[in-house]
């Protein structure tokens, strides 16, 4: 993390309860007016869009951490609040990355970890002091938990009028589902995603291989926070961003929703093939490989018959004279394509498709993606530090010519607790007592 401006103040009074805390033995406590962001880079870098912005996040799992990691990519200082001793439960999902959890490694670089039992008064005061200096609060706690802790937008806006609050939940505030627990696969189910994904059989529904509902919510939270920061520049006041996992995923379901408009038949589940465009999907080759290809128009269909299948007469077959008819007769057409490809290797098929030219792709596994020649050629891999040592990390998509994204360490649980407390003005004795109380 590079040198940044001191945290902006949200025009708030000193947190309540200060004198009571001093009376409980924190006689050495001397609050400082501003947090100073530590320099975590050795080299000077060009300014980033969110330099000087501080985000405090009560986050776990995927949606909120993915949102805040992207804010950190743009230069924001992200202070991640975690439970003492346990931390974000995503830390324990697996141990696939040199003993670290794969989800956690992906979504938590460039953050500072502050262990804080926010149910304790002394810890709640620390959080209050952070919010007084912060620009953004992000939370994806259980429904209603933030409000019960006094962290609703309405309660915070009175004291910190410039603070932006982003609440991420499964179903959003209000409505009959407000209090329901929501996990990624459950939202994939509620949002109709499972109904159009997988094979055609009743038992062949398939979930996405990544946490698509969490990712969708994290993306809308990220862009929502960015828009709220822009709005604050115009109004001088913070606002609330309310992100629902369900609504985020349903937005991405726009095509199948409209395809099934007014009770029409929804898109059929078609495995890895496109439900309504054909040929568009995976096809086996003679060497045991698989090639993904896709046709989008009649010009490409003619080229496919002539230059790939080497059967130009097939383009005149009435069964395949339009996309609708090709999709209707996909079983017969697939058999013809599979037969033609059975005499070729995957690379030979791809060579013909490229020459046509017809859009195509390798069907890569994870090893193939790690070694992808395009990512290597564009130098899209970097490294970040972690408690397990240096780890590879993909640079954020959408690279900007004016700045480099932050690629700072993945934090250990509570790694920055003492330094953050010291920045807030706590003396070593005060910090020790907070540890002894289990507040941090």
């Amino acid at each position: 993390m590079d040198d940044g401006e001191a945290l902006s103040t949200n025009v708030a009074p000193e947190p309540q309860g200060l004198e009571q805390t001093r009376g409980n033995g924190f006689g050495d406590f001397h609050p400082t007016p501003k947090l100073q962001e530590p320099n975590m880079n050795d080299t000077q870098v060009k300014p980033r869009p969110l330099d000087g912005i501080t985000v405090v996040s009560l986050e776990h799992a995927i949606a909120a951490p993915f949102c805040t990691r992207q804010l950190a990519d743009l230069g924001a200082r992200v202070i991640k609040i975690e439970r003492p001793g346990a931390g974000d439960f995503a830390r324990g999902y697996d141990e696939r990355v040199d003993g670290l959890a794969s989800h956690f490694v992906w979504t938590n670089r460039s953050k500072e970890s502050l262990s804080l039992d926010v149910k304790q008064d002394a810890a709640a005061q620390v959080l209050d002091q952070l919010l007084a200096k912060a620009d953004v609060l992000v939370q994806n706690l259980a429904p209603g938990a933030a409000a019960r802790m006094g962290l609703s937008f309405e309660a915070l806006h009175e004291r910190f009028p410039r603070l932006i609050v982003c609440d991420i939940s499964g179903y959003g505030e209000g409505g009959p589902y407000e209090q329901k627990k929501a996990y990624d696969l459950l939202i994939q189910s509620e949002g109709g995603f499972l109904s159009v994904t997988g094979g055609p059989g009743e038992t062949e529904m398939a979930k996405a291989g990544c946490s698509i509902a969490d990712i969708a919510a994290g993306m809308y939270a990220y862009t929502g926070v960015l828009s709220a920061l822009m709005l604050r520049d115009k109004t001088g006041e913070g606002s609330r961003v309310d992100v629902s996992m369900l609504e985020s995923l349903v937005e991405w379901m726009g095509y199948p929703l409209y395809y099934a408009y007014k009770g029409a038949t929804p898109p059929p589940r078609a495995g890895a093939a496109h439900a309504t465009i054909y040929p568009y999907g995976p096809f086996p080759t003679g060497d045991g490989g698989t090639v993904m290809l896709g046709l989008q128009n009649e010009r490409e269909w003619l080229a496919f018959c002539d230059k790939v299948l080497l059967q130009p007469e097939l383009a005149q077959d009435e069964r395949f004279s339009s996309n609708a008819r090709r999709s209707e007769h996909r079983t017969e057409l697939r058999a013809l394509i599979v037969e033609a490809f059975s005499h070729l290797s995957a690379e030979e098929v791809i060579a013909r498709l490229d020459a046509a030219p017809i859009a195509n792709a390798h069907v890569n596994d994870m090893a193939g993606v790690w070694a992808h020649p395009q990512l290597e050629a564009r130098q899209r891999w970097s490294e970040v530090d972690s408690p397990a040592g240096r780890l590879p990390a993909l640079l954020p998509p959408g690279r900007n010519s004016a700045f480099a994204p932050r690629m700072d360490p993945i934090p250990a649980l509570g790694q920055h607790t003492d330094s953050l407390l010291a920045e807030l003005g706590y003396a070593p004795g005060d910090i020790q007592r907070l540890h002894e109380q289990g507040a941090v």
Side-chain angles (χ1 to χ4, degrees):
M1 190 180 303
D2 40 300
D3 288 327
E5 298 174 9
L7 299 187
S8 58
T9 302
N10 285 306
V11 195
E14 184 174 284
Q16 299 299 309
L18 177 59
E19 293 299 325
Q20 179 183 0
T21 302
R22 286 174 174 161
N24 286 338
F26 292 89
D28 296 330
F29 177 68
H30 301 290
T32 53
K34 294 181 179 180
L35 291 175
Q36 298 295 327
E37 186 173 355
N39 183 359
M40 298 173 68
N41 286 336
D42 294 330
T43 59
Q44 197 72 20
V45 296
K46 294 180 180 179
R48 300 185 178 101
L50 297 186
D51 284 349
I53 296 295
T54 294
V55 179
V56 174
S57 190
L58 285 83
E59 60 181 31
H60 56 258
I62 306 303
F66 187 46
C67 163
T68 57
R69 196 220 73 193
Q70 293 179 95
L71 296 171
D73 290 343
L74 297 185
R77 183 185 193 185
V78 177
I79 299 172
K80 181 184 180 78
I81 308 297
E82 300 193 71
R83 297 177 184 175
D88 182 342
F89 57 72
R91 288 182 180 270
Y93 277 172
D94 58 57
E95 298 179 349
R96 305 286 291 190
V97 190
D98 294 339
L100 303 179
S102 50
H103 279 95
F104 192 86
V105 167
W106 166 44
T107 60
N108 286 283
R109 66 172 180 251
S110 306
K111 299 181 184 179
E112 297 170 70
S113 173
L114 169 63
S115 61
L116 206 60
D117 181 359
V118 294
K119 294 182 179 180
Q120 293 197 32
D121 290 343
Q125 178 181 317
V126 173
L127 178 58
D128 217 41
Q129 293 171 258
L130 289 171
L131 294 177
K133 313 296 183 182
D135 298 281
V136 181
L137 168 65
V138 176
Q139 68 86 16
N140 68 332
L141 304 177
R148 290 191 295 271
M149 295 164 55
L151 298 176
S152 67
F153 173 73
E154 292 75 16
L156 291 172
H157 190 64
E158 292 182 4
R159 295 185 294 141
F160 314 129
R162 288 180 56 80
L163 182 67
I164 293 161
V165 177
C166 179
D167 298 319
I168 306 172
S169 63
Y171 297 99
E173 184 178 21
Y177 282 36
E178 177 180 4
Q179 297 299 318
K180 282 180 71 75
K181 286 187 175 181
Y183 303 129
D184 183 85
L185 179 54
L186 303 180
I187 299 298
Q188 289 189 39
S189 180
E190 285 282 357
F193 182 87
L194 292 184
S195 75
V196 297
T197 307
E202 287 298 317
T203 62
E204 294 182 78
M205 285 192 301
K207 66 181 288 293
C210 59
S211 303
I212 188 171
D214 279 317
I215 294 169
M219 290 300 299
Y220 286 112
Y222 165 58
T223 56
V225 168
L226 294 178
S227 67
L229 286 167
M230 296 174 68
L231 182 63
R232 191 179 69 173
D233 285 343
K234 299 178 183 295
T235 67
E237 289 196 336
S239 56
R240 183 190 181 208
V241 180
D242 176 13
V243 177
S244 152
M245 291 172 63
L246 177 65
E247 292 160 17
S248 299
L249 187 61
V250 169
E251 165 65 19
W252 289 8
M253 293 292 292
Y255 150 65
L257 277 170
Y258 282 116
Y259 191 90
Y261 185 56
K262 290 186 175 181
T265 304
R269 292 193 298 274
H274 196 284
T276 58
I277 301 174
Y278 204 81
Y280 190 170
F283 293 90
T285 56
D287 61 349
T290 302
V291 171
M292 183 74 72
L293 64 90
L295 277 65
Q296 293 289 317
N297 54 54
E298 296 310 302
R299 178 185 56 78
E300 290 185 343
W301 168 242
L302 293 174
F304 181 70
C305 294
D306 184 25
K307 298 181 179 179
V308 179
L309 300 181
L310 306 184
Q311 300 176 44
E313 69 281 359
L314 198 61
Q316 309 307 317
D317 192 314
E318 282 298 314
R319 294 174 298 171
F320 313 131
S321 60
S322 67
N323 175 69
R325 294 186 65 80
R326 289 192 292 273
S327 189
E328 179 184 355
H329 296 282
R330 66 174 56 202
T331 301
E332 301 100 297
L333 181 52
R334 177 177 174 79
L336 293 169
I337 296 172
V338 170
E339 166 59 26
F341 286 2
S342 67
H343 307 290
L344 303 170
S345 68
E347 292 305 318
E348 288 172 330
V349 171
I350 288 175
R352 286 191 185 184
L353 290 165
D354 284 341
I358 300 295
N360 65 85
H362 295 87
V363 181
N364 284 321
D365 58 13
M366 293 302 97
V369 177
W370 278 114
H372 201 290
Q374 182 69 5
L375 297 176
E376 180 181 0
R378 282 172 51 83
Q379 299 179 326
R380 299 311 294 160
W381 291 107
S382 181
E383 286 189 332
V384 295
D385 284 319
S386 79
R390 299 286 285 175
L391 295 173
L394 185 72
L395 290 165
R399 64 184 183 185
N400 190 295
S401 62
F403 71 94
R406 278 184 53 200
M407 299 294 288
D408 286 341
I410 300 156
L413 174 58
Q415 179 179 341
H416 304 91
T417 298
D418 289 2
S419 60
L420 280 164
L421 291 172
E423 290 179 56
L424 288 170
Y426 288 85
D430 302 332
I431 296 171
Q432 180 61 35
R433 280 185 283 274
L434 286 171
H435 280 288
E436 291 171 354
Q437 292 178 0
V440 298

